[in-house]
Amino acid sequence: MAKLQAIRGMNDILPDQTPNWQYLEKCFQEVVHRYGYREIRFPVLEQTQLFKRSIGEVTDIVEKEMYSFDDRNGDNLSLRPEGTAGCVRAADQHGLLFNQQQRLWYQGPMFRHERPQKGRYRQFQQFGVEAFGMAGPDIDAEIIQLSASLWNDLQLSDYLTLEINNIGAAEDRKRYAAALTAFLFSHADELDDDARNRMHSNPMRVLDSKNPDVQVLLKNAPALLDYVSEDSTEHYSTLKALLEQVGISFIENPRLVRGLDYYNNCVFEWTTDSLGAQGTVCGGGRYDGLVEQLGGKPTVAAGFAMGVERLVLMLDSLGKIPPSTAQVIDVYMLVVGKELTAASQLLAKQLRERFPALRLVAHCGGGKYNNQLKRAYNSGAEVAIVLESEPGEVLETVKIRRLDDSAEFVSVELAKTADKLGEILSIS
RNA sequence: GUGACUGUAGCUCAGCUGGUAGAGCACUGGACUGUGACUCCGGUGGUCGCGGGUUCGAAUCCCGUCAGUCACCCCA
């Protein structure tokens, strides 16, 4: 029978890697707590309609990347491709957004059916932050500052660049899209196939075209900036001033157009060139219209999401994982002789009770002294406790041996093992 | 969805222009050693991703398929 394997693009994270993930999770949680954000958890599955209405019908995500299926009731469900939609649904459904402000964070797997490559997988992990009910640019600055705090804690600041842009209010973009479409229509014969397709479905994304000929043509296209309302412009310039005042440098990227329809006004991305093609590590912005669009009362909002796999890759390749993150044990207990099974388990239990923080592995499975000692060395433990007796003999003493080059050891009465161990390891 | 490269023991790989497989590490038995690592001797372990085809004969050529890697696209 053929062996079953993991679904394409869905990775197993093995014990060698999990400490790195735990380190990143710990840092992220410390930062969000520092800023007073509270965790929210919501399902991995939602009605497909939720994502269509929030992300947008004609986006790549909804058109070709969602894992959708009919469940046994005939409802069409989808694995969440991102977190914001579910977060808004959950928060609104439970009244968290009714005339109040909320600062929320979440973490969990997202799913998109794309071709896997470095930093891009079909199941991937995101950290996200969503702030509701705050209209000013101060909250935008806050979440950007929050992300910058994390880069600082992770020692990644030198490798990340903040890009920002103002994409205007929803009405602004509507008017602009109309003007842009008209322009593109009048030059349709000069566009490539890709641009011509997008011209109908999502004209703003023609601006992203990598085709140099198209880019030349676009120089004469209407500019979004000319359609952005005064309110938006003022909001945006206040944000820029705030960022400068708190010492966060940024570059303005007028071509930064996020792939999800719900964004408005200021959007941002943190990018790096140390990851290959998938350079975006964190992306977000305002989405003032989304709550209402999903049936809630009008509620302004802003948020971002970051890709955990990409951050782990960065930390790994840049050598930014602290050595203390590695999980090692303190004590390896050798058990030489079958008759000692009960004695070893009892002693191990007593030691764990006496030193709750002690990490102790008691050997199981028998085997020769040599093999067990080898395992003890390979485990990275600081000391080994050796239980050894001849058949029929009662165990009265144990040896405590340092697992370094000195190989020093002492014999100690069984009953005094804990005291001696505490002395040797300087713990109490 | 498109393209390029790759797919041989648990891991890293060798196997020239086709004649049905090897090394190192790891694991394991033993020798040495007052007890791991070092050194020496022995052993377990692969239907060469899977399925077809060409051939007297294929890991080695051809086709398909699955998977991995990277890029396009898009995004975290």
Short mmCIF file of all heavy atoms in Angstrom, two decimals, chain A residues 196-256:
data_model
loop_
_atom_site.label_atom_id
_atom_site.label_comp_id
_atom_site.label_asym_id
_atom_site.label_seq_id
_atom_site.Cartn_x
_atom_site.Cartn_y
_atom_site.Cartn_z
N ARG A 196 -5.17 43.55 -19.94
CA ARG A 196 -6.50 43.68 -20.52
C ARG A 196 -7.54 42.93 -19.69
O ARG A 196 -8.65 43.39 -19.50
CB ARG A 196 -6.50 43.16 -21.96
CG ARG A 196 -7.23 44.13 -22.92
CD ARG A 196 -6.98 43.76 -24.34
NE ARG A 196 -5.69 43.09 -24.48
CZ ARG A 196 -4.92 43.14 -25.55
NH1 ARG A 196 -5.30 43.79 -26.58
NH2 ARG A 196 -3.76 42.52 -25.60
N ASN A 197 -7.15 41.76 -19.18
CA ASN A 197 -8.06 41.01 -18.31
C ASN A 197 -8.35 41.79 -17.03
O ASN A 197 -9.49 41.90 -16.59
CB ASN A 197 -7.47 39.65 -17.96
CG ASN A 197 -7.57 38.69 -19.13
OD1 ASN A 197 -8.46 38.85 -19.97
ND2 ASN A 197 -6.67 37.73 -19.18
N ARG A 198 -7.31 42.30 -16.43
CA ARG A 198 -7.49 43.01 -15.17
C ARG A 198 -8.27 44.31 -15.35
O ARG A 198 -8.92 44.77 -14.43
CB ARG A 198 -6.13 43.34 -14.57
CG ARG A 198 -5.40 42.13 -14.05
CD ARG A 198 -4.10 42.58 -13.45
NE ARG A 198 -3.31 41.44 -13.00
CZ ARG A 198 -2.14 41.58 -12.39
NH1 ARG A 198 -1.64 42.78 -12.20
NH2 ARG A 198 -1.47 40.53 -12.00
N MET A 199 -8.15 44.88 -16.52
CA MET A 199 -8.84 46.12 -16.81
C MET A 199 -10.33 45.98 -16.49
O MET A 199 -10.96 46.90 -15.98
CB MET A 199 -8.63 46.46 -18.27
CG MET A 199 -9.41 47.61 -18.82
SD MET A 199 -8.87 47.92 -20.51
CE MET A 199 -9.80 46.69 -21.39
N HIS A 200 -10.88 44.80 -16.78
CA HIS A 200 -12.30 44.58 -16.53
C HIS A 200 -12.56 44.19 -15.07
O HIS A 200 -13.46 44.70 -14.43
CB HIS A 200 -12.83 43.47 -17.44
CG HIS A 200 -12.72 43.81 -18.89
ND1 HIS A 200 -13.52 44.74 -19.49
CD2 HIS A 200 -11.86 43.36 -19.85
CE1 HIS A 200 -13.19 44.84 -20.77
NE2 HIS A 200 -12.18 44.02 -21.01
N SER A 201 -11.76 43.26 -14.57
CA SER A 201 -12.06 42.71 -13.25
C SER A 201 -11.62 43.64 -12.13
O SER A 201 -12.37 43.88 -11.18
CB SER A 201 -11.38 41.36 -13.09
OG SER A 201 -9.98 41.49 -13.28
N ASN A 202 -10.43 44.17 -12.21
CA ASN A 202 -9.89 44.95 -11.10
C ASN A 202 -8.84 45.93 -11.63
O ASN A 202 -7.64 45.73 -11.48
CB ASN A 202 -9.25 43.99 -10.08
CG ASN A 202 -9.19 44.61 -8.70
OD1 ASN A 202 -9.21 45.83 -8.57
ND2 ASN A 202 -9.11 43.77 -7.68
N PRO A 203 -9.31 47.03 -12.24
CA PRO A 203 -8.42 47.93 -12.98
C PRO A 203 -7.24 48.45 -12.17
O PRO A 203 -6.16 48.64 -12.70
CB PRO A 203 -9.35 49.07 -13.41
CG PRO A 203 -10.58 48.93 -12.59
CD PRO A 203 -10.71 47.50 -12.25
N MET A 204 -7.44 48.63 -10.86
CA MET A 204 -6.34 49.16 -10.05
C MET A 204 -5.10 48.26 -10.10
O MET A 204 -3.98 48.73 -9.93
CB MET A 204 -6.79 49.29 -8.59
CG MET A 204 -8.07 50.08 -8.42
SD MET A 204 -7.77 51.77 -7.98
CE MET A 204 -7.18 51.60 -6.33
N ARG A 205 -5.35 47.00 -10.32
CA ARG A 205 -4.21 46.09 -10.27
C ARG A 205 -3.39 46.09 -11.56
O ARG A 205 -2.33 45.48 -11.62
CB ARG A 205 -4.64 44.69 -9.87
CG ARG A 205 -4.93 44.64 -8.37
CD ARG A 205 -4.65 43.31 -7.77
NE ARG A 205 -5.79 42.43 -7.93
CZ ARG A 205 -5.73 41.19 -8.33
NH1 ARG A 205 -4.56 40.65 -8.60
NH2 ARG A 205 -6.81 40.47 -8.44
N VAL A 206 -3.90 46.75 -12.57
CA VAL A 206 -3.08 46.94 -13.76
C VAL A 206 -1.84 47.76 -13.39
O VAL A 206 -0.76 47.59 -13.96
CB VAL A 206 -3.89 47.65 -14.88
CG1 VAL A 206 -3.01 47.92 -16.08
CG2 VAL A 206 -5.08 46.79 -15.27
N LEU A 207 -1.99 48.60 -12.39
CA LEU A 207 -0.87 49.45 -11.96
C LEU A 207 0.31 48.62 -11.49
O LEU A 207 1.45 49.08 -11.50
CB LEU A 207 -1.32 50.37 -10.81
CG LEU A 207 -2.48 51.33 -11.12
CD1 LEU A 207 -2.86 52.10 -9.88
CD2 LEU A 207 -2.07 52.29 -12.23
N ASP A 208 0.03 47.39 -11.06
CA ASP A 208 1.09 46.51 -10.56
C ASP A 208 1.86 45.82 -11.67
O ASP A 208 2.82 45.11 -11.40
CB ASP A 208 0.48 45.42 -9.69
CG ASP A 208 0.25 45.91 -8.28
OD1 ASP A 208 0.87 46.93 -7.92
OD2 ASP A 208 -0.54 45.29 -7.55
N SER A 209 1.42 45.99 -12.91
CA SER A 209 2.01 45.24 -14.02
C SER A 209 3.53 45.31 -14.04
O SER A 209 4.12 46.35 -13.79
CB SER A 209 1.46 45.76 -15.34
OG SER A 209 2.15 45.14 -16.42
N LYS A 210 4.14 44.15 -14.31
CA LYS A 210 5.61 44.10 -14.36
C LYS A 210 6.11 44.38 -15.78
O LYS A 210 7.31 44.46 -16.01
CB LYS A 210 6.09 42.71 -13.91
CG LYS A 210 5.71 42.34 -12.49
CD LYS A 210 6.70 42.93 -11.49
CE LYS A 210 6.62 42.32 -10.10
NZ LYS A 210 5.32 42.20 -9.51
N ASN A 211 5.17 44.48 -16.72
CA ASN A 211 5.53 44.70 -18.11
C ASN A 211 6.01 46.15 -18.31
O ASN A 211 5.25 47.08 -18.10
CB ASN A 211 4.31 44.41 -18.99
CG ASN A 211 4.65 44.50 -20.46
OD1 ASN A 211 5.53 45.25 -20.86
ND2 ASN A 211 3.93 43.72 -21.27
N PRO A 212 7.26 46.33 -18.72
CA PRO A 212 7.82 47.69 -18.87
C PRO A 212 7.02 48.55 -19.85
O PRO A 212 6.84 49.75 -19.60
CB PRO A 212 9.22 47.44 -19.43
CG PRO A 212 9.51 46.01 -19.22
CD PRO A 212 8.22 45.29 -19.10
N ASP A 213 6.52 47.94 -20.93
CA ASP A 213 5.74 48.70 -21.92
C ASP A 213 4.47 49.25 -21.28
O ASP A 213 4.09 50.41 -21.50
CB ASP A 213 5.37 47.81 -23.10
CG ASP A 213 6.62 47.35 -23.85
OD1 ASP A 213 7.65 48.06 -23.74
OD2 ASP A 213 6.57 46.29 -24.51
N VAL A 214 3.82 48.40 -20.48
CA VAL A 214 2.60 48.83 -19.81
C VAL A 214 2.93 49.95 -18.82
O VAL A 214 2.20 50.94 -18.72
CB VAL A 214 1.93 47.65 -19.09
CG1 VAL A 214 0.72 48.12 -18.29
CG2 VAL A 214 1.49 46.58 -20.10
N GLN A 215 4.05 49.80 -18.13
CA GLN A 215 4.42 50.82 -17.15
C GLN A 215 4.66 52.18 -17.83
O GLN A 215 4.31 53.22 -17.29
CB GLN A 215 5.68 50.38 -16.38
CG GLN A 215 5.39 49.37 -15.26
CD GLN A 215 4.42 49.90 -14.23
OE1 GLN A 215 4.35 51.10 -13.95
NE2 GLN A 215 3.61 49.00 -13.66
N VAL A 216 5.26 52.14 -19.00
CA VAL A 216 5.48 53.39 -19.74
C VAL A 216 4.14 54.05 -20.05
O VAL A 216 3.94 55.24 -19.83
CB VAL A 216 6.25 53.12 -21.05
CG1 VAL A 216 6.24 54.37 -21.93
CG2 VAL A 216 7.69 52.71 -20.73
N LEU A 217 3.22 53.25 -20.53
CA LEU A 217 1.89 53.74 -20.85
C LEU A 217 1.21 54.37 -19.63
O LEU A 217 0.55 55.41 -19.72
CB LEU A 217 1.04 52.59 -21.39
CG LEU A 217 -0.42 52.91 -21.75
CD1 LEU A 217 -0.46 53.81 -22.96
CD2 LEU A 217 -1.19 51.62 -22.00
N LEU A 218 1.43 53.72 -18.48
CA LEU A 218 0.74 54.15 -17.26
C LEU A 218 1.22 55.52 -16.77
O LEU A 218 0.57 56.13 -15.92
CB LEU A 218 0.93 53.10 -16.16
CG LEU A 218 0.15 51.80 -16.36
CD1 LEU A 218 0.54 50.78 -15.30
CD2 LEU A 218 -1.35 52.05 -16.31
N LYS A 219 2.34 55.97 -17.27
CA LYS A 219 2.85 57.26 -16.82
C LYS A 219 1.85 58.38 -17.13
O LYS A 219 1.79 59.39 -16.44
CB LYS A 219 4.19 57.56 -17.49
CG LYS A 219 5.30 56.75 -16.87
CD LYS A 219 6.67 57.27 -17.25
CE LYS A 219 7.74 56.54 -16.47
NZ LYS A 219 8.97 56.34 -17.23
N ASN A 220 1.06 58.16 -18.17
CA ASN A 220 0.07 59.17 -18.54
C ASN A 220 -1.32 58.88 -17.98
O ASN A 220 -2.27 59.60 -18.26
CB ASN A 220 -0.02 59.26 -20.06
CG ASN A 220 1.30 59.72 -20.66
OD1 ASN A 220 1.93 60.63 -20.12
ND2 ASN A 220 1.73 59.07 -21.72
N ALA A 221 -1.42 57.79 -17.23
CA ALA A 221 -2.72 57.42 -16.67
C ALA A 221 -3.09 58.38 -15.55
O ALA A 221 -2.22 59.02 -14.95
CB ALA A 221 -2.65 55.99 -16.14
N PRO A 222 -4.38 58.49 -15.25
CA PRO A 222 -4.79 59.31 -14.12
C PRO A 222 -4.14 58.81 -12.83
O PRO A 222 -3.90 57.61 -12.69
CB PRO A 222 -6.32 59.14 -14.08
CG PRO A 222 -6.66 58.05 -15.03
CD PRO A 222 -5.51 57.88 -15.95
N ALA A 223 -3.83 59.71 -11.93
CA ALA A 223 -3.18 59.34 -10.68
C ALA A 223 -4.20 59.27 -9.54
O ALA A 223 -5.05 60.14 -9.41
CB ALA A 223 -2.08 60.34 -10.34
N LEU A 224 -4.06 58.22 -8.76
CA LEU A 224 -4.97 58.03 -7.63
C LEU A 224 -4.98 59.26 -6.72
O LEU A 224 -6.01 59.68 -6.21
CB LEU A 224 -4.56 56.78 -6.85
CG LEU A 224 -5.32 56.48 -5.56
CD1 LEU A 224 -6.81 56.33 -5.83
CD2 LEU A 224 -4.79 55.23 -4.90
N LEU A 225 -3.78 59.81 -6.56
CA LEU A 225 -3.62 60.94 -5.65
C LEU A 225 -4.60 62.08 -5.96
O LEU A 225 -5.10 62.74 -5.06
CB LEU A 225 -2.19 61.46 -5.78
CG LEU A 225 -1.58 62.05 -4.51
CD1 LEU A 225 -1.53 61.01 -3.42
CD2 LEU A 225 -0.20 62.61 -4.81
N ASP A 226 -4.89 62.26 -7.26
CA ASP A 226 -5.78 63.35 -7.66
C ASP A 226 -7.23 63.09 -7.28
O ASP A 226 -8.07 63.98 -7.35
CB ASP A 226 -5.69 63.57 -9.17
CG ASP A 226 -4.28 63.98 -9.58
OD1 ASP A 226 -3.61 64.61 -8.74
OD2 ASP A 226 -3.86 63.64 -10.70
N TYR A 227 -7.53 61.87 -6.93
CA TYR A 227 -8.92 61.53 -6.61
C TYR A 227 -9.13 61.34 -5.10
O TYR A 227 -10.26 61.14 -4.65
CB TYR A 227 -9.33 60.25 -7.34
CG TYR A 227 -9.46 60.47 -8.83
CD1 TYR A 227 -8.33 60.51 -9.65
CD2 TYR A 227 -10.72 60.66 -9.41
CE1 TYR A 227 -8.44 60.74 -11.00
CE2 TYR A 227 -10.84 60.88 -10.76
CZ TYR A 227 -9.70 60.92 -11.56
OH TYR A 227 -9.82 61.15 -12.90
N VAL A 228 -8.04 61.33 -4.37
CA VAL A 228 -8.15 61.11 -2.93
C VAL A 228 -8.70 62.36 -2.25
O VAL A 228 -8.25 63.47 -2.51
CB VAL A 228 -6.77 60.75 -2.35
CG1 VAL A 228 -6.82 60.72 -0.83
CG2 VAL A 228 -6.32 59.40 -2.89
N SER A 229 -9.65 62.16 -1.36
CA SER A 229 -10.31 63.28 -0.70
C SER A 229 -9.35 63.98 0.25
O SER A 229 -8.33 63.43 0.65
CB SER A 229 -11.52 62.78 0.08
OG SER A 229 -11.08 62.00 1.18
N GLU A 230 -9.75 65.21 0.61
CA GLU A 230 -8.91 65.98 1.52
C GLU A 230 -8.78 65.31 2.87
O GLU A 230 -7.72 65.31 3.49
CB GLU A 230 -9.51 67.38 1.72
CG GLU A 230 -8.78 68.46 0.97
CD GLU A 230 -9.44 69.82 1.18
OE1 GLU A 230 -9.51 70.25 2.34
OE2 GLU A 230 -9.89 70.41 0.18
N ASP A 231 -9.88 64.72 3.34
CA ASP A 231 -9.84 64.02 4.63
C ASP A 231 -8.77 62.93 4.64
O ASP A 231 -7.98 62.81 5.58
CB ASP A 231 -11.21 63.37 4.92
CG ASP A 231 -12.22 64.42 5.36
OD1 ASP A 231 -11.80 65.59 5.54
OD2 ASP A 231 -13.40 64.07 5.50
N SER A 232 -8.78 62.16 3.57
CA SER A 232 -7.81 61.07 3.46
C SER A 232 -6.39 61.61 3.47
O SER A 232 -5.50 61.09 4.16
CB SER A 232 -8.01 60.30 2.16
OG SER A 232 -8.90 59.25 2.33
N THR A 233 -6.18 62.65 2.68
CA THR A 233 -4.85 63.23 2.58
C THR A 233 -4.36 63.74 3.93
O THR A 233 -3.21 63.52 4.30
CB THR A 233 -4.86 64.38 1.56
OG1 THR A 233 -5.49 63.92 0.37
CG2 THR A 233 -3.45 64.84 1.26
N GLU A 234 -5.28 64.37 4.64
CA GLU A 234 -4.88 64.90 5.94
C GLU A 234 -4.57 63.78 6.93
O GLU A 234 -3.59 63.82 7.67
CB GLU A 234 -5.99 65.80 6.49
CG GLU A 234 -5.51 66.67 7.63
CD GLU A 234 -6.64 67.42 8.29
OE1 GLU A 234 -7.58 67.83 7.55
OE2 GLU A 234 -6.60 67.57 9.51
N HIS A 235 -5.45 62.77 6.93
CA HIS A 235 -5.24 61.59 7.77
C HIS A 235 -3.85 61.01 7.51
O HIS A 235 -3.07 60.74 8.43
CB HIS A 235 -6.32 60.56 7.43
CG HIS A 235 -6.28 59.32 8.27
ND1 HIS A 235 -7.20 59.06 9.25
CD2 HIS A 235 -5.43 58.27 8.26
CE1 HIS A 235 -6.92 57.88 9.81
NE2 HIS A 235 -5.85 57.38 9.22
N TYR A 236 -3.54 60.89 6.24
CA TYR A 236 -2.29 60.27 5.81
C TYR A 236 -1.08 61.11 6.24
O TYR A 236 -0.10 60.58 6.77
CB TYR A 236 -2.31 60.11 4.29
CG TYR A 236 -1.13 59.39 3.71
CD1 TYR A 236 -0.81 58.09 4.11
CD2 TYR A 236 -0.34 59.98 2.72
CE1 TYR A 236 0.25 57.42 3.55
CE2 TYR A 236 0.73 59.31 2.15
CZ TYR A 236 1.03 58.03 2.57
OH TYR A 236 2.08 57.36 2.02
N SER A 237 -1.18 62.42 6.05
CA SER A 237 0.00 63.22 6.42
C SER A 237 0.17 63.28 7.94
O SER A 237 1.31 63.35 8.43
CB SER A 237 -0.08 64.63 5.81
OG SER A 237 -1.35 65.17 5.97
N THR A 238 -0.93 63.22 8.67
CA THR A 238 -0.79 63.15 10.12
C THR A 238 -0.09 61.85 10.53
O THR A 238 0.78 61.85 11.42
CB THR A 238 -2.16 63.22 10.81
OG1 THR A 238 -2.89 64.33 10.29
CG2 THR A 238 -2.01 63.36 12.31
N LEU A 239 -0.48 60.78 9.88
CA LEU A 239 0.17 59.50 10.18
C LEU A 239 1.68 59.58 9.93
O LEU A 239 2.48 59.15 10.77
CB LEU A 239 -0.43 58.38 9.33
CG LEU A 239 0.31 57.03 9.40
CD1 LEU A 239 0.27 56.47 10.82
CD2 LEU A 239 -0.26 56.03 8.41
N LYS A 240 2.02 60.15 8.80
CA LYS A 240 3.45 60.26 8.48
C LYS A 240 4.19 61.07 9.54
O LYS A 240 5.28 60.71 9.97
CB LYS A 240 3.64 60.89 7.09
CG LYS A 240 3.27 59.95 5.97
CD LYS A 240 3.70 60.48 4.62
CE LYS A 240 2.84 61.65 4.18
NZ LYS A 240 3.16 62.10 2.81
N ALA A 241 3.54 62.15 9.98
CA ALA A 241 4.16 62.98 11.00
C ALA A 241 4.33 62.20 12.31
O ALA A 241 5.37 62.27 12.96
CB ALA A 241 3.32 64.23 11.24
N LEU A 242 3.30 61.43 12.65
CA LEU A 242 3.37 60.63 13.86
C LEU A 242 4.52 59.63 13.80
O LEU A 242 5.27 59.44 14.75
CB LEU A 242 2.06 59.88 14.08
CG LEU A 242 0.90 60.67 14.69
CD1 LEU A 242 -0.39 59.86 14.63
CD2 LEU A 242 1.22 61.07 16.12
N LEU A 243 4.64 58.97 12.65
CA LEU A 243 5.70 57.97 12.50
C LEU A 243 7.07 58.63 12.67
O LEU A 243 7.96 58.09 13.31
CB LEU A 243 5.59 57.28 11.13
CG LEU A 243 4.40 56.35 10.95
CD1 LEU A 243 4.34 55.83 9.52
CD2 LEU A 243 4.45 55.20 11.94
N GLU A 244 7.19 59.81 12.08
CA GLU A 244 8.47 60.50 12.20
C GLU A 244 8.75 60.85 13.66
O GLU A 244 9.88 60.72 14.14
CB GLU A 244 8.47 61.77 11.34
CG GLU A 244 8.84 61.47 9.89
CD GLU A 244 8.38 62.55 8.92
OE1 GLU A 244 8.04 63.67 9.38
OE2 GLU A 244 8.35 62.27 7.70
N GLN A 245 7.71 61.27 14.35
CA GLN A 245 7.91 61.68 15.74
C GLN A 245 8.30 60.52 16.66
O GLN A 245 9.00 60.71 17.65
CB GLN A 245 6.66 62.38 16.28
CG GLN A 245 6.56 63.83 15.81
CD GLN A 245 5.17 64.40 15.95
OE1 GLN A 245 4.41 64.00 16.84
NE2 GLN A 245 4.81 65.30 15.07
N VAL A 246 7.81 59.33 16.35
CA VAL A 246 8.20 58.19 17.20
C VAL A 246 9.41 57.47 16.62
O VAL A 246 9.81 56.40 17.12
CB VAL A 246 7.04 57.19 17.40
CG1 VAL A 246 5.90 57.84 18.15
CG2 VAL A 246 6.57 56.61 16.07
N GLY A 247 10.02 58.03 15.59
CA GLY A 247 11.28 57.49 15.10
C GLY A 247 11.17 56.25 14.25
O GLY A 247 12.06 55.40 14.26
N ILE A 248 10.07 56.13 13.52
CA ILE A 248 9.94 54.98 12.60
C ILE A 248 10.10 55.49 11.18
O ILE A 248 9.30 56.30 10.71
CB ILE A 248 8.57 54.30 12.77
CG1 ILE A 248 8.48 53.68 14.17
CG2 ILE A 248 8.38 53.22 11.70
CD1 ILE A 248 7.15 53.05 14.47
N SER A 249 11.14 55.04 10.50
CA SER A 249 11.34 55.52 9.14
C SER A 249 10.56 54.66 8.16
O SER A 249 10.27 53.50 8.44
CB SER A 249 12.83 55.52 8.79
OG SER A 249 13.42 54.30 9.14
N PHE A 250 10.22 55.24 7.04
CA PHE A 250 9.36 54.55 6.07
C PHE A 250 9.67 55.10 4.70
O PHE A 250 10.31 56.15 4.56
CB PHE A 250 7.89 54.80 6.39
CG PHE A 250 7.51 56.25 6.46
CD1 PHE A 250 7.18 56.95 5.31
CD2 PHE A 250 7.53 56.93 7.68
CE1 PHE A 250 6.85 58.30 5.37
CE2 PHE A 250 7.20 58.27 7.76
CZ PHE A 250 6.87 58.96 6.61
N ILE A 251 9.23 54.37 3.69
CA ILE A 251 9.27 54.92 2.35
C ILE A 251 7.85 54.88 1.80
O ILE A 251 7.07 53.99 2.13
CB ILE A 251 10.23 54.15 1.42
CG1 ILE A 251 9.81 52.70 1.28
CG2 ILE A 251 11.65 54.23 1.94
CD1 ILE A 251 10.60 51.96 0.23
N GLU A 252 7.53 55.89 1.01
CA GLU A 252 6.20 55.92 0.40
C GLU A 252 6.26 55.19 -0.93
O GLU A 252 7.12 55.45 -1.76
CB GLU A 252 5.77 57.36 0.18
CG GLU A 252 5.48 58.08 1.49
CD GLU A 252 4.91 59.46 1.23
OE1 GLU A 252 3.75 59.53 0.78
OE2 GLU A 252 5.64 60.44 1.45
N ASN A 253 5.33 54.26 -1.10
CA ASN A 253 5.28 53.48 -2.32
C ASN A 253 3.90 53.66 -2.95
O ASN A 253 2.95 52.99 -2.57
CB ASN A 253 5.55 52.01 -2.01
CG ASN A 253 5.45 51.14 -3.24
OD1 ASN A 253 5.17 51.63 -4.33
ND2 ASN A 253 5.66 49.85 -3.07
N PRO A 254 3.80 54.55 -3.92
CA PRO A 254 2.49 54.84 -4.52
C PRO A 254 1.90 53.64 -5.25
O PRO A 254 0.71 53.63 -5.54
CB PRO A 254 2.80 55.98 -5.51
CG PRO A 254 4.26 55.99 -5.69
CD PRO A 254 4.89 55.32 -4.52
N ARG A 255 2.71 52.64 -5.52
CA ARG A 255 2.20 51.46 -6.22
C ARG A 255 1.73 50.37 -5.25
O ARG A 255 1.32 49.30 -5.66
CB ARG A 255 3.26 50.90 -7.14
CG ARG A 255 3.64 51.87 -8.25
CD ARG A 255 4.30 51.14 -9.37
NE ARG A 255 4.79 49.81 -8.91
CZ ARG A 255 5.42 48.97 -9.68
NH1 ARG A 255 5.67 49.27 -10.91
NH2 ARG A 255 5.84 47.81 -9.21
N LEU A 256 1.84 50.66 -3.96
CA LEU A 256 1.42 49.67 -2.97
C LEU A 256 -0.11 49.60 -2.93
O LEU A 256 -0.77 50.49 -2.42
CB LEU A 256 1.97 50.06 -1.59
CG LEU A 256 1.60 49.16 -0.42
CD1 LEU A 256 2.09 47.74 -0.66
CD2 LEU A 256 2.18 49.69 0.87
#
